[in-house]
Amino acid sequence: SIVPFPKVMDEVENWYTTSYKTYRFHKPFIGINENFVGNEVDSNKDVTVTIRETSFGCGKLGGTVWESSLALSCHLMTLFKSDGIDNNSNENSKPSSEWRIIELGAGVGVPSCVCRELKVGKVLSTDYWDDTSKDFVTAPDPDRLIPHHLFGVNLEFNLLQSAGLRGENEQDEKSKDKQCFVRKLDWYNAEEVRDSKRMINPNLIIASAVVYYK
C-alpha cells in the first residue's frame, strides 16, 4: 500500500516523483504452544518496513522494489531466532544478533531493511553503481538510466536515514556498535570485495534478482 511518509528533501525528492510503500512481513509459527497450533502466523512478530521508490530508472538499479526481494524477505522471516527464547524458529538457526549479513545487488534494500528490523547483528547492504559524477547522463551505458551521482541514494535512505541511522562515512563514536552499513561493491574489484568482507566478517550472503542484464 502507498502511505504518507515524512520526506527528506534530498536531490531525489527535488527532481523526481517518489512514492513510499509499506510492507508487512509475517513470522510463521511452527509447533504447538498455548496460543498457536500447527503452522500459523504470529502477528506479534510482524516486521514492517517503509521503502522509497523513484520514477526514474524504469525499474532498474535502485529505483523500484522487485518481487524477488519480497520473496527473499519472507524467507528471512523464517530463518532467525529472536534473541532470547523463541520456539517459533528453526531449531538449527542462530539468534538474530549472531548473524552478519551482506546483501548483494540490494537495489532499494527491502531484505536489508527486514534484517535491520529483525535485529540482525550486522547488515552490509551493497550494490554496484558508477563512480560519483556531476553528469546526469549515464552514457555510454544507455540501460543505466539513473544519473551517476544518484546511484545508491535510495538504498542509503531506506536502510539508514528512514530509521534515523547515520551513514557509513559520518563520524560516530560508537561506529563499532553500528548495525547497518551501505557500500558500493563491484564483484570484479578484489579490493572492494576484501574491504566488504573485513568490514563485518559475514556468515551469510543474500541476494535476489542480481543478474538481469544481457
Side-chain angles (χ1 to χ4, degrees):
S1 60
I2 300 178
V3 297
F5 190 75
K7 292 187 176 183
V8 175
M9 292 303 293
D10 57 14
E11 188 171 359
V12 172
E13 300 287 354
N14 285 329
W15 287 91
Y16 299 98
T17 301
T18 60
S19 64
Y20 291 80
K21 296 181 181 179
T22 294
Y23 299 89
R24 176 174 291 177
F25 299 94
H26 302 289
K27 186 177 183 69
F29 175 82
I30 301 175
I32 300 176
N33 69 10
E34 60 183 10
N35 297 315
F36 298 96
V37 178
N39 190 350
E40 301 182 26
V41 171
D42 185 351
S43 60
N44 292 326
K45 295 179 180 178
D46 286 356
V47 163
T48 302
V49 297
T50 299
I51 300 295
R52 182 176 76 178
E53 295 182 303
T54 58
S55 60
F56 63 81
C58 298
K60 296 183 179 181
L61 291 182
T64 195
V65 172
W66 289 69
E67 291 182 357
S68 57
S69 70
L70 301 179
L72 175 57
S73 297
C74 289
H75 175 66
L76 291 170
M77 293 294 296
T78 71
L79 186 61
F80 310 121
K81 288 183 179 179
S82 301
D83 289 337
I85 298 174
D86 182 359
N87 295 322
N88 298 357
S89 301
N90 184 331
E91 63 182 12
N92 295 319
S93 66
K94 302 175 183 176
S96 57
S97 61
E98 294 184 14
W99 290 95
R100 301 175 302 279
I101 293 177
I102 288 183
E103 182 179 6
L104 303 179
V108 293
V110 178
S112 291
C113 291
V114 169
C115 288
R116 179 195 68 206
E117 295 303 308
L118 289 172
K119 309 302 182 186
V120 167
K122 296 288 183 182
V123 181
L124 175 55
S125 194
T126 70
D127 207 340
Y128 174 80
W129 53 81
D130 295 327
D131 292 334
T132 301
S133 168
K134 295 181 180 179
D135 297 329
F136 276 78
V137 180
T138 58
D141 183 354
D143 284 332
R144 293 184 177 173
L145 302 179
I146 302 176
H148 286 168
H149 66 292
L150 295 184
F151 275 71
V153 170
N154 266 354
L155 181 56
E156 183 168 332
F157 179 88
N158 289 327
L159 183 62
L160 302 178
Q161 296 179 31
S162 66
L165 304 177
R166 294 184 174 186
E168 174 192 345
N169 295 323
E170 294 187 40
Q171 295 296 322
D172 187 347
E173 294 179 356
K174 297 183 179 179
S175 59
K176 292 183 179 180
D177 298 326
K178 286 177 62 176
Q179 178 196 17
C180 300
F181 307 85
V182 172
R183 292 196 67 172
K184 169 183 174 290
L185 176 57
D186 181 350
W187 306 340
Y188 294 98
N189 185 316
E191 183 177 356
E192 289 186 7
V193 171
R194 284 194 299 268
D195 288 346
S196 296
K197 182 178 180 180
R198 291 169 183 158
M199 191 171 186
I200 67 167
N201 188 25
N203 53 13
L204 181 65
I205 297 174
I206 61 175
S208 61
V210 291
V211 179
Y212 48 83
Y213 281 117
K214 296 180 180 179

